[in-house]
Amino acid sequence: MPRWLPTAVLLLAACGSVTHPRLAVAKVDTLPGRIVSVTSPGPTGWADSSTGWKLVPAGTIGGESGTPGELINPQSLAVDDAGRVYVSDNKPTIVKVFAPDGRFLHTIGREGEGPGEFRVAFVATYGTRLVVHDPRISRTSVFDSSGAFLKSWASSCCYYMQITVDTAGRVYVPGMVTKEQKRMINFTRYSLDGVVVDTVSVPRPEQEQKDWVIKFGKGNMMSTSVPATPQMTSAVNPAGGVLYGFSSDYRIAVSPTGRDTVSLFGRAWTPVPVTGAWRHATVQRMITDQSKYTPEAAVRAAFQEGDIPSTFPAFDAISVDRQGNRWLRLPNATDSVSTHFDVFDSTGRFLGPVTVPRMLTSYGGLAWGRDELLAILETEDGVPVVQRFRLERTVAR
């Protein structure tokens, strides 16, 4: 036994006290082109979800039925620097504003196509400014926190997904691309005055992504991704640029434009098998859901259990908090009531896992505040609310 160990340590060991597993050390390499590669053989910050950071439920936002703050069909969410919460709601389309303590304050905009109006609202904030993108009428607008309309400009149509404003005040508006462009998504970056800055892209994966195609009626068809199939997964980096990775492997690229890579990060990963029970239950649930809108025979013909891969992908969504930490959501392989994240710091070092005691299924309905995560969820009675989760960064040693 080494002589330099303190007596207190020796006594603890002798008494059989609880010891924490040894944490890993990330490996940092410089690849050709000065690309920094960070690979973690295991957690470097905390060993498991019981000893590390936590997302703790901390109340809900949403008024009672019949009140101005009632949420009917919320679809997008944002938090400004003052802690105000903005929720875009449908039926009618309007943005509802709540104080940091959850009190309803007022609304912004209204449904329509005139100045300060919108048909669809995807929201983001910069400081105390609210940015609203409407893909239906191809327009992006800016308001102040009181609801005063400041400016709008013509932008892209038809891509129904969350928008982002980075720390430099550039608005990322997604747009459609063709296969010939070899890009999956193009983001046009605008200044808050509506001036085009440049474009940022997420490349298409080299591997073909498998879809189920439902054909019905005279020339009607629709498609959906095959469950557990690897996908190109991406997120806008609030510091500027994009993060993306094809989830057949645990490797994510960080790029200022989508056309050049400055760093890569990931962790050691062993694929989780897809069980026969999971495959069968998932297909039956999807058939039941889709048959509400499409002829059941056409759905059953398209949704084949044999198309589902034998293992789950490495991750299925990416999000970045206000401190630059990267949150990668893991596939829901066995736990149907919680959400599991792997957390990486802004350098790409794997800190450890975090489990949230709720199912968070859509990143369109998530937003990061200063020390909290907000998510659009439903109560047990099916009432939509914004659930707050307080981020506790303490780590047990």
Side-chain angles (χ1 to χ4, degrees):
M1 188 174 291
R3 295 180 180 178
W4 52 264
L5 283 177
T7 302
V9 174
L10 300 180
L11 290 174
L12 286 173
C15 294
S17 297
V18 175
T19 58
H20 295 286
R22 183 183 298 275
L23 296 173
V25 176
K27 180 182 179 183
V28 181
D29 296 311
T30 300
L31 306 179
R34 294 187 174 182
I35 298 172
V36 177
S37 173
V38 182
T39 304
S40 300
T44 66
W46 57 87
D48 54 53
S49 57
S50 67
T51 59
W53 292 2
K54 292 179 175 58
L55 284 167
V56 180
T60 60
I61 293 174
E64 295 182 1
S65 177
T67 66
E70 178 188 11
L71 300 179
I72 307 299
N73 186 25
Q75 70 171 11
S76 184
L77 184 64
V79 185
D80 72 12
D81 284 355
R84 285 179 289 257
V85 179
Y86 301 79
V87 186
S88 72
D89 208 354
N90 290 328
K91 300 178 182 180
T93 302
I94 199 167
V95 177
K96 297 178 180 179
V97 187
F98 298 85
D101 63 4
R103 290 177 297 109
F104 173 75
L105 296 176
H106 56 82
T107 62
I108 291 179
R110 62 182 181 183
E111 186 163 334
E113 299 184 12
E117 298 177 341
F118 28 77
R119 296 292 185 188
V120 176
F122 287 96
V123 298
T125 61
Y126 180 75
T128 57
R129 293 285 189 263
L130 173 70
V131 182
V132 179
H133 174 58
D134 185 343
R136 182 170 170 182
I137 61 175
S138 308
R139 188 168 67 192
T140 303
S141 303
V142 180
F143 302 81
D144 68 18
S145 59
S146 72
F149 169 66
L150 302 178
K151 187 178 183 62
S152 67
W153 62 87
S155 55
S156 62
C157 81
C158 312
Y159 215 103
Y160 285 61
M161 66 178 288
Q162 185 68 25
I163 63 168
T164 306
V165 185
D166 68 18
T167 54
R170 296 170 295 192
V171 184
Y172 290 63
V173 177
M176 304 295 287
V177 296
T178 64
K179 284 188 176 182
E180 288 71 24
Q181 291 177 290
K182 296 183 178 180
R183 293 288 179 267
M184 184 175 173
I185 304 172
N186 270 339
F187 292 97
T188 301
R189 289 199 287 199
Y190 297 90
S191 70
L192 288 168
D193 292 327
V195 177
V196 174
V197 177
D198 57 13
T199 60
V200 174
S201 303
V202 175
R204 288 184 179 275
E206 295 180 0
Q207 299 167 253
E208 192 68 27
Q209 297 180 191
K210 177 72 174 178
D211 290 332
W212 277 332
V213 179
I214 306 171
K215 299 179 180 179
F216 58 98
K218 294 184 178 180
N220 296 320
M221 66 168 50
M222 65 164 293
S223 66
T224 186
S225 299
V226 176
T229 299
Q231 305 283 329
M232 179 62 84
T233 305
S234 64
V236 170
N237 186 356
V242 290
L243 296 88
Y244 61 86
F246 193 67
S247 59
S248 61
D249 193 12
Y250 213 127
R251 203 73 172 146
I252 298 91
V254 181
S255 173
T257 66
R259 294 175 289 275
D260 54 349
T261 299
V262 295
S263 64
L264 298 165
F265 69 92
R267 69 166 176 84
W269 168 70
T270 301
V272 176
V274 174
T275 66
W278 187 94
R279 182 181 287 109
H280 180 72
T282 299
V283 171
Q284 293 306 307
R285 184 183 68 251
M286 292 179 67
I287 289 174
T288 299
D289 292 344
Q290 190 58 50
S291 296
K292 298 174 184 177
Y293 316 102
T294 313
E296 183 176 341
V299 177
R300 289 188 177 277
F303 292 4
Q304 297 295 313
E305 292 184 22
D307 293 335
I308 297 177
S310 59
T311 59
F312 287 96
F315 52 89
D316 62 17
I318 304 172
S319 179
V320 186
D321 67 23
R322 292 197 172 203
Q323 286 71 41
N325 301 300
R326 296 94 181 250
W327 295 69
L328 274 72
R329 189 179 68 193
L330 306 185
N332 210 359
T334 57
D335 185 353
S336 60
V337 297
S338 302
T339 302
H340 301 272
F341 291 102
D342 281 344
V343 185
F344 294 76
D345 68 13
S346 59
T347 69
R349 186 171 59 109
F350 175 40
L351 297 177
V354 172
T355 297
V356 184
R358 288 294 301 272
M359 284 291 293
L360 309 179
T361 58
S362 172
Y363 268 4
L366 300 185
W368 287 99
R370 191 178 305 277
D371 292 301
E372 65 177 350
L373 174 66
L374 293 88
I376 296 173
L377 299 174
E378 290 186 350
T379 66
E380 293 181 356
D381 298 327
V383 177
V385 294
V386 173
Q387 173 70 57
R388 311 180 87 141
F389 296 92
R390 183 178 64 257
L391 176 56
E392 297 181 352
R393 296 188 179 88
T394 56
V395 177
R397 296 296 187 186

